Amino acid sequence: MRRDLQKVVLTLLLSGSGLALAPEDLRAQDEPKNPPPTSPPAPTEAPDDPPPTMFPHLETERVWLSGQSNFIFQTHAPFPAAYSGKNSLDPNYEKATSRVLTLYTGIQLNDSAEFLLDIEEAGGAALSTGLGLAGNTDLDIVRNPSLSKAPYLARAMFHKVFALSKDKVENDRSFLSLFKELPRRRLEIRFGKFSLVDFFDQNSVGSDTHFQFTNWTVDNNGAYDYAADTRGYTVGVTADYEDGNWGFRFAEGLMPKVANGIDLVWKPWQAHAENFEYELRHGLIRNKPGVIRLLAFTNYANMGVYREAIAQFEHGLVPRPDITNHPWHITRKYGFGINLEQNFARNLAAFARFGWDNGKTESFAYTEVDQTFAGGLGANGALWHRRYDRAGVAVVTNGICKDHQVYLADGGLGFLLGDGALRYGREKIVEAYYTAHVWRGIYIAPGLQHINNPGYNQDRGPVLVPSLRLHVEF
């Protein structure tokens, strides 16, 4: 294992320099997430000093051009498993390296409108092809290995700002917004292709696989089955009202045709998703910055119902429950989430998430979680005189509803899970990382995850997953 790890590190370092000429890909969930301009400073960023890049960015305010590459090597040793199924995490030794490359572009059309377009390429491999875990260990993986490896259009959106006040607030320019300042009270409209988690369920401590955690249910709310294709994108519209220390946003997006599918349903009167989030930028500790976010969503799509699939099996109509064995019909899923972050000091903050969905219909777009609790700490290296370093630790516990449990226990398969049987237990994960700045825009991050009851199964695991990440900012 040590020889494999050394070989991967050497390969990544040698290939990193060649990527500067062709930054290419990424998936929606894998991209850097930027807090709103009036949010408290992200504890994992050096105060008043943006992360360095390999090359200086364009100075003009009208144009944005940047890129990134993210490589994550992961492995696990053999672990105990009483049995395995088609969608199980392989209990034998495994190793895999994922890559995500992105080219971010944008042009500011005037003082209130801009157009943003990103090109990406995602590839490499995933442990067990991404199966067997609700809280998968690598958010950068491509969950469908049959997808084309060619670069693809990730985002293409028009962004318009309507000023509702004359006073301005400073805005941190990024690939999601090129404006240096914005009206304090405003309405922002976006239309096009994007990822819902670019704007919803954001968290400055745990939302970024480039510099922070990599587990799906640490970086995102696991019970938030947000509208997306396989790569994590949808087409739709968002509206965001901001007024000083609070904001409210809404999004309407298209749903995929099948669970974890790459094709969207282009009939929004049939399949669609509504998303709502209220954000209050106020700490829970007096005189300490913080944010409280309340999330709600509802999805309408061609989703199977667990109880109906179980009934078909019990009546002998199918050899095992099959959540996809139904004619086209639109069913509804809804859920809620709470997202908290709290600064303790300038370079130290905590985050917590809670998520729940009704769980009667199949897990469809993100992952197989019906309830989740997560929390952790993030620190900036300025605490130990390395201002571009970051470190963090998080814990998460995931669960599924009773119908979902019975479906898996009877041998049913979800788009991620299916051991052939199930002795249910909550999936419990601990993750830690350290991101070290090496030179200019190069960062290396060792990490470790410990997973109890992988895929909610007490008959399998525990699993220990070490990792090594190479990240390059251009």
Side-chain angles (χ1 to χ4, degrees), residues 336-358:
F336 308 94
I338 302 173
N339 181 332
L340 308 173
E341 54 182 300
Q342 176 63 60
N343 283 41
F344 296 130
R346 182 171 177 80
N347 299 299
L348 180 66
F351 82 98
R353 281 190 177 98
F354 166 74
W356 174 92
D357 64 53
N358 62 327

Side-chain angles (χ1 to χ4, degrees), residues 15 40 66 75 96 113 117 168 183 219 223 279 320 378 393 437 467 473:
S15 63
S66 67
T75 184
L117 186 146
K168 304 280 188 177
D219 279 337
E279 178 173 309
R320 60 173 176 79
V393 61
H437 177 235
S467 65
E473 287 277 326

Side-chain angles (χ1 to χ4, degrees), residues 53 171 177-178 297 384 457 474:
T53 58
N171 180 51
S177 179
L178 311 186
F297 74 95
W384 50 93
N457 201 336
F474 301 107

Side-chain angles (χ1 to χ4, degrees), residues 8 11-13 15-16 19 68-73 97-101 138 140 209-210 443 445 468-472:
V8 169
T11 302
L12 296 182
L13 288 172
S15 63
L19 294 170
Q68 71 83 39
S69 60
N70 209 48
F71 296 84
I72 300 177
F73 169 79
T97 303
S98 65
R99 70 173 186 273
V100 290
L101 317 172
D138 184 358
D140 280 6
T209 61
H210 296 167
Y443 302 81
L468 184 67
R469 173 177 52 201
L470 171 66
H471 179 74
V472 184

Side-chain angles (χ1 to χ4, degrees), residues 138-150:
D138 184 358
L139 192 52
D140 280 6
I141 62 171
V142 179
R143 291 176 287 182
N144 185 346
S146 66
L147 287 180
S148 169
K149 300 300 187 292

Side-chain angles (χ1 to χ4, degrees), residues 73-298:
F73 169 79
Q74 293 188 331
T75 184
H76 71 74
F79 63 87
Y83 46 84
S84 296
K86 181 179 179 181
N87 286 2
S88 292
L89 183 69
D90 190 340
N92 302 305
Y93 168 75
E94 284 190 289
K95 60 180 180 180
T97 303
S98 65
R99 70 173 186 273
V100 290
L101 317 172
T102 317
L103 175 66
Y104 304 108
T105 71
I107 182 168
Q108 188 175 331
L109 305 176
N110 53 46
D111 291 339
S112 64
E114 61 186 358
F115 183 74
L116 307 168
L117 186 146
D118 303 338
I119 303 295
E120 300 177 348
E121 186 270 339
L127 296 175
S128 301
T129 64
L131 300 173
L133 293 169
N136 195 283
T137 57
D138 184 358
L139 192 52
D140 280 6
I141 62 171
V142 179
R143 291 176 287 182
N144 185 346
S146 66
L147 287 180
S148 169
K149 300 300 187 292
Y152 56 87
L153 179 68
R155 296 181 183 82
M157 73 181 96
F158 175 74
H159 179 205
K160 174 68 176 178
V161 178
F162 296 92
L164 303 177
S165 67
K166 294 182 179 180
D167 50 329
K168 304 280 188 177
V169 293
E170 185 179 349
N171 180 51
D172 293 329
R173 298 180 77 226
S174 74
F175 71 99
L176 291 174
S177 179
L178 311 186
F179 304 114
K180 294 187 68 174
E181 58 180 16
L182 292 166
R184 181 187 60 81
R185 190 166 68 250
R186 63 191 181 275
L187 176 64
E188 299 185 48
I189 302 294
R190 296 174 185 264
F191 177 81
K193 185 179 183 182
F194 51 80
S195 173
L196 283 169
V197 290
D198 288 336
F199 312 109
F200 290 79
D201 190 42
Q202 282 294 290
N203 197 300
S204 67
V205 184
S207 283
D208 185 357
T209 61
H210 296 167
F211 294 104
Q212 300 170 341
F213 303 98
T214 64
N215 190 280
W216 290 13
T217 52
V218 175
D219 279 337
N220 291 322
N221 187 323
Y224 182 23
D225 203 15
Y226 60 91
D229 62 17
T230 305
R231 294 187 172 111
Y233 296 97
T234 187
V235 173
V237 60
T238 71
D240 186 355
Y241 175 80
E242 295 293 334
D243 189 358
N245 68 343
W246 69 278
F248 181 81
R249 56 193 63 96
F250 167 80
E252 184 82 20
L254 300 182
M255 292 290 292
K257 290 182 179 180
V258 298
N260 195 37
I262 190 62
D263 296 319
L264 300 174
V265 179
W266 292 92
K267 297 179 179 179
W269 56 91
Q270 292 184 2
H272 53 90
E274 290 76 48
N275 302 261
F276 312 84
E277 188 174 59
Y278 171 76
E279 178 173 309
L280 176 64
R281 293 178 278 274
H282 188 281
L284 299 175
I285 300 176
R286 186 177 180 182
N287 298 325
K288 298 289 186 182
V291 186
I292 302 169
R293 301 179 181 91
L294 304 178
L295 172 73
F297 74 95
T298 181

